Structures are given as C-alpha cells and as structure tokens.
Amino acid sequence: MAGDSVGFRAPRGTTDVLPPESSLRDALVRSALDSFGRAGYEPVETPAFEHTELFQRGVGEASEVVSKQMYTWADGGGRSLTLRPEGTAPVVRAVLEHGLERGPLPVKLSYAESMWRRERPQKGRYRQFFQVGIEAIGSGRPELDAEVIEIGTRFLAAAGVAPGLSLNSIGHDSESCRRGYLALLKKFLEEIAGSLAPDDRARVATNPLRTFDSKEPQTSAALAAAPLITDHLCDDCRAHFVSVQRLLTDLSVDFTLEPRLVRGLDYYTRTAFEWFAGGLGSQNAVGGGGRYDGLSEALGGPSLPGIGFALGLDRIIMARAEPAEEPPGRVAVYLVALGDDARREALMLATALRVAGVGADLDFAARSMKGQMKDAARSGARWAVILGSEELRAREATVRDLRSGEQQRVPFAELTARLAA
Ligand code: AMP
C-alpha cells in the first residue's frame, strides 16, 4: 500500500486534501465567498481557538458539541482553551469585542474555516472539517431569514448539489413559547421513557428537544405522538415564521416544513433549517443554520438578534451530482528544455511569463524530451514551449499547441506577449 514505508499518518478523523481536489475546494470556497459578497457579506477570520467558556456559554453546556466533542486543553495560568467547534459564537464574540454592532446593522460577515469536533469518524464525519458560512447580526426581520436561506440554497445549487431544505421554527425562550412547550414535551417523554432507546432516556432531563435528533428507530417510533413545537409557538414567533415561509415562496425557494427539526446547538431561536442531500448515507446534512436572537446577550452583549448558516464543504464535494470536473490547470505553458543552457533559459522564460500573469512550469528532473512532453500533457498546459540547442542558437522557441498539435517558431523576445494574448 502506498505510504507503508512512512512512519507518520494524519491523526484519526483528519484528511489531507490533495490535488486535484484541493484546487476544486479552493474554487468552491472562492465562489462561495464571492456569492456571499454579492449580498454584502464580508469575510471575517477569528482565531482557531477561543476561551472554552465562550462555547459553554454560547453553544450551551447541555449540547453534545460542548459536552462531548470539544478539543480542550489547559493553557497554563488557569486558562482553558478550545479549538473552535463551530463558527457562530466566535463571530458574535468578535463583533461584540470590536463594537461592530455600533455601525450599520445588520453586520454581515462570511467565513471559510476549519472546525474541530471529537466525533466518531465515519463517511462524511471528521474530527477536522471545513465550513463556509455567513452570519447576519443585528436584525430580527423575517426578510433577513429569507435572504440567508436563499443565499445558501442558491450557492448549493451552483455547487452542483440539489439538496432538500427542511424548515422549522423553534420559538423563543419564554413561558408563552418554547419554555411552555418544553414542559409539555418533558412530561410526554417522561410518560413514554420506557419506550425510548436507553441512550435517549438520559436526554429527557438534560436536553429534551434533542430526543428528536435520535437516529434510534425505537425512539423515532415512540416520538410519533409527541407534541410539536409549531403547535405551541407564541403569536409573535408564529407570525415571524409565517412571514419567513411567505418570503421564501416569493423567492422560489422550495422547502419542507419539518416540525421535528431541532438544531444541535442551544443558541437557536425561531427559524431553524437544514439542507439534506442524497447519496451521503447517514451523514446527509450538507449544511444548516438558524436564528440566534439570544446569543449576544448570553455572551454579555446587548440584545442583538442574528441569523446564519454553515455549510460543510467536505460533504458538498461528496454530494455533487456530477463527478467533479477537473478544475482548469493553473499552468498554461510547460517549458521543455534539453541541456543545462536551455534549462537556464527555460527558468528565465517561465519567470517572465509568470510575471506577465501566465501560469508556467518546467522540468526539474532533467528528463528526456519524451518524458518532458508527457509531463507537459499531464500538467494540463495548453502550450509546450520547446527549447533545444537549435532553438537556443536562433533565440527562438518551438511553441506547440497541445490541443491541435500545431507548432510554430516564436522569438524569445515575443514569447510572453504571444502567450499572454
Ligand atoms: P452543524 O452546525 O453542526 O449542523 O454543522 C453544519 C454543517 O457542517 C453540517 O451540515 C455538515 O455538513 C458539516 N459538519 C458538521 N460536523 C461535521 C463533521 N464532523 N464532519 C464533516 N462535516 C461536518
């Protein structure tokens, strides 16, 4: 097996992204940030690690991400640090720390970053994974929910994934809304506790909503008669949800109402959504998001409603309908050089081409002419520029069009201008 002689392997649950997939990922990330940018979302970068408390307070200690999946270590001086398991709490922390909420609202930000969660690795589930996402902070308007969901749906379609969109509202934290509902749900769950899968019984007390996330058929069956949040929303949350649905319909975004959709992170309020794609097995969510109207306050900030989503890039690539088209080669010209003098000339010509904006590469293994022509074809270049002793004497290169096979002589001095055209 390749690599058997190598002593080191990447840690479990991590992946190396190698060419050509690395270029494809790069192109996808850029097109995501471009399309988010066209709606006013500007990139933000936050540190790979944060104070552990940010996630405990922001995401919630009862959530699985915080209670089981964080990479946390003591950094001396009594500080506990954690590798970012999700992007929203850090972005809201950065907004508050830098007072961005004092500018025009909503603050619209995008990110493309790795996240870390200690989950059991399987197809589509890694311990380091990559998300692209947006956050819109400082407006509770339903138009913003519709904008955010439309942007994610359109990007996924452009990326070649045609996912289903599940939509729900989980209300807000008050007696007349979610708290009242949770009391009903808890009562129901306690009554049927005997029929739940053993692992899910423990959630009844700590995080009853999450029993809906169970993959245990026994639990799903027992929950068939459970009260649903959408039947217990307060008037404001219900009106908000109706507006979001109407706006999405106006925007031609298809969705399915899914009253059992709850999100894994505790900060969500009102709108919650997830995109699911076929062909991914059990890890079929390509992205998700929702409103987090209470998050800023949970972090000690002012009332600042917000909404966002995160898309899993690893799964988007797996879910693409067409096998990924090879990204166009970055190298347009491959210089084929025979002999030391020609190699020196090739290096100079390659540099001049790169300076002029033309991708160029050359042989560094002193291969035969035939070997270098093979490398030229493999590089994806359009042109092979051949430099032999005769060409050097005449200070002209033989330029071969690798598509048509046609070739012609071009003086060195004109090469850059001709190939840049
Ligand atoms: P979440 O906020 O947990 O719903 O994550 C949003 C998206 O990130 C998911 O829909 C997945 O596409 C992706 N994702 C989450 N966790 C993982 C993981 N462990 N490995 C790969 N992708 C993940």
Side-chain angles (χ1 to χ4, degrees):
M1 206 176 106
D4 263 359
S5 58
V6 180
F8 287 108
R9 299 196 168 255
R12 192 164 128 78
T14 66
T15 43
D16 296 310
V17 185
L18 306 173
E21 191 189 308
S22 49
S23 292
L24 172 71
R25 272 171 79 116
D26 187 44
L28 267 178
V29 168
R30 272 185 292 158
S31 85
L33 295 179
D34 270 2
S35 90
F36 305 161
R38 280 194 295 278
Y41 293 78
E42 290 188 88
V44 64
E45 280 181 46
T46 61
F49 55 88
E50 297 272 355
H51 291 291
T52 304
E53 222 190 331
L54 174 73
F55 301 112
Q56 290 169 333
R57 278 217 262 153
V59 180
E61 299 205 63
S63 69
E64 239 151 70
V65 168
V66 170
S67 63
K68 294 199 189 138
Q69 299 172 351
M70 296 205 299
Y71 282 98
T72 296
W73 69 99
D75 194 43
R79 268 185 313 270
S80 175
L81 299 176
T82 292
L83 279 178
R84 175 180 60 210
E86 62 92 47
T88 304
V91 168
V92 173
R93 195 264 310 136
V95 165
L96 297 175
E97 180 169 340
H98 301 283
L100 302 190
E101 82 283 6
R102 293 196 291 269
L105 295 177
V107 181
K108 289 179 161 187
L109 298 168
S110 64
Y111 61 84
E113 289 174 330
S114 288
M115 307 289 161
W116 295 267
R117 294 181 194 173
R118 191 188 279 110
E119 297 194 78
R120 196 170 50 76
Q122 63 183 91
K123 184 183 167 204
R125 188 159 78 180
Y126 312 107
R127 292 181 165 177
Q128 172 169 319
F129 56 98
F130 199 90
Q131 289 185 335
V132 292
I134 62 175
E135 309 292 349
I137 299 163
S139 165
R141 298 284 322 166
E143 292 81 2
L144 193 58
D145 303 49
E147 170 177 291
V148 164
I149 295 171
E150 192 280 333
I151 288 171
T153 305
R154 188 156 37 86
F155 168 69
L156 286 168
V161 184
L165 167 63
S166 295
L167 182 70
N168 194 18
S169 172
I170 55 170
H172 80 292
D173 183 27
S174 95
E175 222 40 74
S176 61
C177 198
R178 187 166 61 214
R179 242 183 278 156
Y181 164 72
L182 283 177
L184 281 179
L185 178 65
K186 223 164 161 176
K187 194 158 158 276
F188 170 84
L189 291 173
E190 278 159 6
E191 279 163 15
I192 59 142
S195 334
L196 296 174
D199 275 358
D200 293 318
R201 258 170 245 162
R203 287 167 156 178
V204 173
T206 52
N207 205 345
L209 220 43
R210 293 288 285 164
T211 48
F212 285 116
D213 265 353
S214 172
K215 296 230 153 73
E216 301 286 340
Q218 187 185 342
T219 300
S220 311
L223 286 175
L228 298 173
I229 178 77
T230 35
D231 294 329
H232 299 275
L233 293 175
C234 67
D235 290 347
D236 283 354
C237 285
R238 186 186 315 280
H240 189 274
F241 191 34
V242 167
S243 299
V244 172
Q245 293 173 51
R246 204 172 288 145
L247 290 160
L248 285 174
T249 304
D250 291 346
L251 290 170
S252 309
V253 174
D254 292 333
F255 57 87
T256 307
L257 291 179
E258 183 39 84
R260 289 156 202 271
L261 175 79
V262 294
R263 300 271 301 138
L265 317 179
D266 284 2
Y267 50 58
Y268 286 110
T269 49
R270 293 194 163 176
T271 312
F273 53 93
E274 220 153 336
W275 289 279
F276 295 98
L280 290 181
S282 66
Q283 303 302 311
N284 60 349
V286 288
R291 261 201 175 277
Y292 42 84
D293 292 348
L295 178 57
S296 165
E297 283 157 300
L299 300 181
S303 162
L304 209 55
I307 178 163
F309 65 67
L311 308 176
L313 200 68
D314 311 271
R315 292 190 199 167
I316 290 177
I317 288 175
M318 288 165 63
R320 287 159 67 97
E322 297 292 315
E325 209 177 277
E326 290 247 332
R330 296 186 180 209
V331 169
V333 178
Y334 196 96
L335 292 114
V336 172
L338 295 170
D340 288 349
D341 290 344
R343 261 190 293 278
R344 178 178 162 276
E345 197 65 52
L347 180 61
M348 293 203 297
L349 287 171
T351 304
L353 283 163
R354 293 167 187 164
V355 168
V358 181
D361 202 357
L362 61 150
D363 158 77
F364 290 99
R367 306 234 295 152
S368 66
M369 169 84 172
K370 203 166 148 208
Q372 291 190 46
M373 287 308 290
K374 270 196 195 150
D375 288 342
R378 217 175 288 145
S379 75
R382 170 77 195 272
W383 312 99
V385 169
I386 302 160
L387 305 173
S389 50
E390 209 241 308
E391 279 91 349
L392 275 192
R393 226 172 297 122
R395 305 215 45 82
E396 282 182 358
T398 299
V399 176
R400 182 196 292 232
D401 182 333
L402 290 172
R403 277 190 216 151
S404 67
E406 278 168 28
Q407 56 183 51
Q408 52 177 306
R409 296 282 285 254
V410 177
F412 288 175
E414 288 171 29
L415 207 56
T416 303
R418 288 277 284 277
L419 293 175

